[in-house]
Amino acid sequence: MNRALRIIFSRYGIVVIILVLVLGVIALANRRQETPLDGTNGVDGTDGAASSEAFTEDDGFATEDCTGDDCYAEEELPQEAVDRAVEFTAAWLNPGGSGQAAWFDSIEPYMTAETAEAMTGVDPETVPAEEISGEPAADGSKVSIPLDTGTLTLTMLEGANNWTENGWLVSAIDWEQS
């Protein structure tokens, strides 16, 4: 027993243990990649075609790299959503130099509850721009608004919050420095 433990905990024993662990992980990873959609036989002995039909049905959503007749153009945002995004941006820029609480109160009605929660505690001094410098552009559910130091991209969502029964709300905020 003592001799076996000496062999296992020697340099060579540890190398063998590590090698076995690495090969085990690789084997599990390869096994996990096998799916009925990769052309291998399914568990039930079929060629996988029956189970892949559900995955190839058109779900109505287009992918970014989609080309051809099977793609759907994203619906354009109505002008109301673009206007709401511009109103949010005007409040977000904090033109009056309000403190944190007043600034948050001014932007909260424009956001979904989740976005408002994420913005809680944000200091308005960290807003990286001072004014809108161009016309907003809608692309799918996003509105890009050029500002003096970059572009603010807002993802708009139709919904409700404590201030709006049913309207367009900001569900995500993205900033790109120019």
Side-chain angles (χ1 to χ4, degrees):
M1 177 74 172
N2 201 11
R3 182 179 165 108
L5 289 174
R6 229 181 311 172
I7 293 172
I8 290 174
F9 290 110
S10 70
R11 276 185 268 175
Y12 301 113
I14 292 174
V15 168
V16 169
I17 291 171
I18 291 172
L19 184 62
V20 167
L21 288 173
V22 168
L23 291 175
V25 168
I26 291 172
L28 287 174
N30 284 339
R31 172 111 192 216
R32 185 177 174 116
Q33 289 178 357
E34 294 175 6
T35 65
L37 297 178
D38 67 0
T40 61
N41 287 341
V43 175
D44 59 357
T46 64
D47 64 357
S51 62
S52 68
E53 287 177 7
F55 294 108
T56 58
E57 288 180 15
D58 188 2
D59 62 359
F61 293 101
T63 58
E64 302 247 346
D65 57 345
C66 185
T67 58
D69 294 332
D70 293 335
C71 299
Y72 296 93
E74 290 188 35
E75 289 187 33
E76 297 254 346
L77 282 175
Q79 188 60 40
E80 175 188 352
V82 176
D83 292 344
R84 188 88 168 150
V86 171
E87 290 170 13
F88 169 82
T89 303
W92 182 74
L93 290 172
N94 196 18
S98 303
Q100 193 277 328
W103 173 74
F104 181 77
D105 289 345
S106 72
I107 64 172
E108 190 175 19
Y110 297 98
M111 299 183 290
T112 62
E114 294 81 17
T115 305
E117 185 178 324
M119 291 290 289
T120 302
V122 172
D123 185 2
E125 294 293 320
T126 62
V127 172
E130 294 182 12
E131 64 183 15
I132 297 173
S133 64
E135 292 297 315
D139 182 22
S141 64
K142 298 178 187 258
V143 178
S144 297
I145 302 171
L147 303 178
D148 56 346
T149 58
T151 303
L152 181 66
T153 302
L154 305 172
T155 302
M156 303 302 290
L157 175 73
E158 197 167 14
N161 61 16
N162 293 338
W163 297 267
T164 305
E165 279 189 36
N166 192 21
W168 290 96
L169 302 172
V170 175
S171 65
I173 303 167
D174 188 32
W175 169 255
E176 185 177 323
Q177 189 84 23
S178 61

